Amino acid sequence: MRILHVDSSPRGDRSISRRLTQAFIDVWKHANPDITISYRDLGHQSVPFVDEAWIAAAFTSPEKILPEQEATLALSNTLIDELLATDVWLFGIPMYNYSVPANFKAYIDHIVRVRRTFSVNEAGEYEGLVHHKKVVVITARGGIFSEGTPDADADFQAPFLKKVFSLIGATDLAFIHAENLAGGPEARQQSLDVAHRQIQELIAQYEVTKS
Ligand SMILES: Cc1cc2nc3c(=O)[nH]c(=O)nc-3n(C[C@H](O)[C@H](O)[C@H](O)COP(=O)(O)O)c2cc1C
């Protein structure tokens, strides 16, 4: 089993999303140590925003693309190859201003790419080119945005992620939200306990066992 582990908090040891993605890896390894992990740290090494040259290159057909345009897409190709080479994608994502941090949005702009991760058919419909991936998103949030709570409609993070991953065909998506982290020590601990339990349950659900 190959796992791509991506963190996006700019914080280090204080980051809750980092602690939880690491807990996910530890629990998985305990259930089955036979895994290969690729790691990317967007929080400490951001990818650049896409620019005009990138957009022109990405939308140039393969028969017309120039060598310098290929070079412009090199990082995007690396990021996409990394995704395609793995079975499970694990993302640690803080909530920033109701959505994802800018570094994660910049990453998304590189990996959602025509002819690489999605195509457009003759009817003009999008078709995902990614298949059979499990996506696990662990978020860390100061407030509470779960369904049925007063601020639920302010969650632009989970719906955004659901939409972009489904666009590229990655529809097997599980969220674990560590919420209310700014709600005081007790609330925070309770939320972390729930998140740790959900990690255990998710890995049990994936039927991860020693081979
Ligand atoms: C720039 C910034 C924006 C934030 N915006 C929100 C927000 O919109 N909603 C929320 O619940 N928490 C917000 N927070 C709190 C973070 O989501 C929270 O501190 C979380 O633990 C950060 O993830 P990390 O611990 O992995 O770094 C924000 C924090 C920062 C630094």
Side-chain angles (χ1 to χ4, degrees):
M1 188 63 74
R2 298 156 303 172
I3 301 184
L4 173 65
H5 173 184
V6 178
D7 281 320
S8 61
S9 172
R11 300 203 293 173
D13 290 346
R14 297 168 74 90
S15 160
I16 299 296
S17 58
R18 280 179 192 273
R19 282 190 222 167
L20 291 172
T21 55
Q22 190 53 51
F24 182 95
I25 294 289
D26 293 344
V27 173
W28 190 301
K29 270 190 181 160
H30 185 73
N32 184 356
D34 187 19
I35 51 170
T36 310
I37 301 165
S38 316
Y39 184 66
R40 184 165 286 278
D41 190 345
L42 297 173
H44 292 145
Q45 282 174 302
S46 298
V47 296
F49 294 135
V50 299
D51 58 13
E52 185 164 2
W54 188 96
I55 296 162
F59 288 93
T60 299
S61 58
E63 58 279 6
K64 290 197 182 140
I65 198 157
L66 303 169
E68 60 267 31
Q69 289 184 305
E70 284 285 8
T72 300
L73 296 176
L75 173 62
S76 168
N77 283 329
T78 300
L79 299 173
I80 292 169
D81 291 345
E82 210 166 70
L83 287 164
L84 298 180
T86 46
D87 311 294
V88 179
W89 305 343
L90 169 66
F91 297 109
I93 313 177
M95 177 182 272
Y96 275 7
N97 296 307
Y98 307 107
S99 185
V100 298
N103 70 52
F104 200 82
K105 178 58 169 58
Y107 173 75
I108 290 289
D109 291 343
H110 280 275
I111 63 168
V112 179
R113 216 177 97 200
V114 70
R115 284 183 295 272
R116 292 275 355 241
T117 53
F118 74 92
S119 63
V120 186
N121 68 20
E122 285 181 2
E125 296 155 348
Y126 293 105
E127 286 176 348
L129 299 177
V130 172
H131 304 290
H132 313 302
K133 306 294 181 189
K134 288 194 187 316
V135 186
V136 180
V137 176
I138 302 185
T139 73
R141 303 160 160 200
I144 304 177
F145 303 88
S146 338
E147 226 176 290
T149 61
D151 278 337
D153 66 348
D155 180 2
F156 294 93
Q157 184 189 37
F160 161 69
L161 292 165
K162 219 180 275 177
K163 190 72 186 173
V164 281
F165 284 125
S166 85
L167 165 67
I168 64 173
T171 50
D172 183 350
L173 188 63
F175 283 101
I176 292 174
H177 300 296
E179 298 199 302
N180 204 12
L181 297 172
E186 260 177 50
R188 177 189 167 94
Q189 191 53 52
Q190 201 180 341
S191 181
L192 291 177
D193 292 346
V194 171
H196 281 285
R197 202 165 56 238
Q198 288 176 338
I199 288 171
Q200 299 271 1
E201 285 167 2
L202 185 60
I203 288 173
Q205 197 183 309
Y206 288 163
E207 296 181 346
V208 178
T209 48
K210 288 194 173 70
S211 43

